[in-house]
Amino acid sequence: MAAVSQVLRSEWTKIRSVRSTVWTLGVALVVTVALGALICLLASNDFGSTAPRDRAGFDPAGTSFAGMGLGQLAMIVFGVLVVSNEYSTGMIRTSLAAVPQRGVFLFCKIAVATLLALVVSFVTAFLSFFVGQAMLGAHAVSLGDPGVLRAVVGAGLYMTVIGVFAMGVATMLRSPMLALGTLMPFFFLISSILGNVSATRKIGRYLPDQAGARIMQVVPSAGHDVPYGPWGGFGIMLAWTAAVLLGGYLLLKRRDA
């Protein structure tokens, strides 16, 4: 246990001493809250001219998290940099020499980064909700309304797990450019195409971002019925994340630094 605590402390020192990882978390918070507030303001101003069918499907809580799509981009960058910075600088050789137990090294790194991402994600989720509801005015909901607290907590969990998923992929690929070059098209191109084309929609809804995003919705999107609930979708996202972490661990054990 003493060794684990020392590795945790060393990983914490690495993360807070690298300026880029701290900046990406700050960007994730600011972008998510600001974009969500702007979209809530626009939605409130246009609500009077909205068609009755669209009003019935309006999700005030989910609209607060409209900036999450862009905020997750910064969280992905954070997850990639936490892992791959050591490979790009060559520090990984020193780290593995100091901590030969590669499982301890990897999961201590991920534990520290996940805890940091969890704190930032929950602050982001609650700020996005309260600022967004203030922008919505008469159309706002409160935390006590059915499903709203679950959506806010779920937004914090979703953002955290996106970062952990990126850490797993970065552990497998080791290169920051390769990891970002894989994750960006996957989340912002492939996933969107599969989810919006009728022939592939049934496949797309099982991808980690689309399944996990269900937990942020209080009013499900019309015409996009899925065979799982909010927590079921989040469970699918966790399964994907566990799979990439396992893959990263197995590759780290077998490869040279």
Side-chain angles (χ1 to χ4, degrees):
M1 290 300 292
V4 171
S5 66
Q6 289 168 2
V7 178
L8 288 171
R9 280 200 297 271
S10 70
E11 292 302 325
W12 168 241
T13 302
K14 288 179 194 173
I15 288 180
R16 64 186 173 85
S17 61
V18 177
R19 193 170 298 175
S20 58
T21 55
V22 177
W23 272 101
T24 50
L25 287 177
V27 169
L29 189 154
V30 172
V31 166
T32 304
V33 174
L35 188 56
L38 176 62
I39 293 176
C40 283
L41 181 62
L42 295 174
S44 178
N45 291 338
D46 292 342
F47 196 82
S49 58
T50 305
R53 180 183 175 185
D54 293 333
R55 290 187 195 181
F58 180 63
D59 184 352
T63 306
S64 292
F65 307 124
M68 192 69 77
L70 200 55
Q72 77 178 16
L73 169 63
M75 190 57 77
I76 288 170
V77 175
F78 167 76
V80 169
L81 291 180
V82 161
V83 173
S84 59
N85 262 343
E86 291 205 53
Y87 287 98
S88 58
T89 61
M91 190 176 175
I92 187 69
R93 290 187 288 274
T94 305
S95 297
L96 292 180
V99 188
Q101 303 92 344
R102 297 191 173 192
V104 173
F105 165 74
L106 175 63
F107 289 109
C108 283
K109 178 186 288 294
I110 290 174
V112 172
T114 300
L115 183 60
L116 185 58
L118 184 69
V119 172
V120 173
S121 297
F122 267 78
V123 172
T124 302
F126 277 90
L127 264 180
S128 296
F129 175 76
F130 287 119
V131 174
Q133 298 311 301
M135 295 295 108
L136 285 173
H139 311 296
V141 293
S142 70
L143 276 179
D145 290 332
V148 173
L149 182 59
R150 181 261 302 158
V152 178
V153 171
L157 293 173
Y158 172 87
M159 202 169 181
T160 304
V161 176
I162 281 288
V164 179
F165 184 89
M167 293 176 212
V169 173
T171 305
M172 288 193 287
L173 300 179
R174 301 195 287 187
S175 162
M177 296 304 294
L178 190 55
L180 290 173
T182 301
L183 288 167
M184 296 302 176
F186 179 79
F187 282 114
F188 296 98
L189 188 62
I190 297 173
S191 178
S192 298
I193 293 173
L194 291 178
N196 289 309
V197 176
S198 57
T200 58
R201 189 169 293 153
K202 289 183 179 179
I203 299 172
R205 64 194 183 191
Y206 288 100
L207 295 178
D209 56 332
Q210 294 192 33
R214 176 68 181 84
I215 199 170
M216 294 185 283
Q217 298 173 351
V218 176
V219 181
S221 302
H224 289 79
D225 294 335
V226 292
Y228 49 75
W231 291 107
F234 187 66
I236 293 171
M237 187 185 193
L238 285 179
W240 274 94
T241 306
V244 295
L245 287 176
L246 178 61
Y249 167 67
L250 293 175
L251 288 173
L252 180 67
K253 275 192 71 175
R254 295 179 181 181
R255 289 188 302 208
D256 294 332

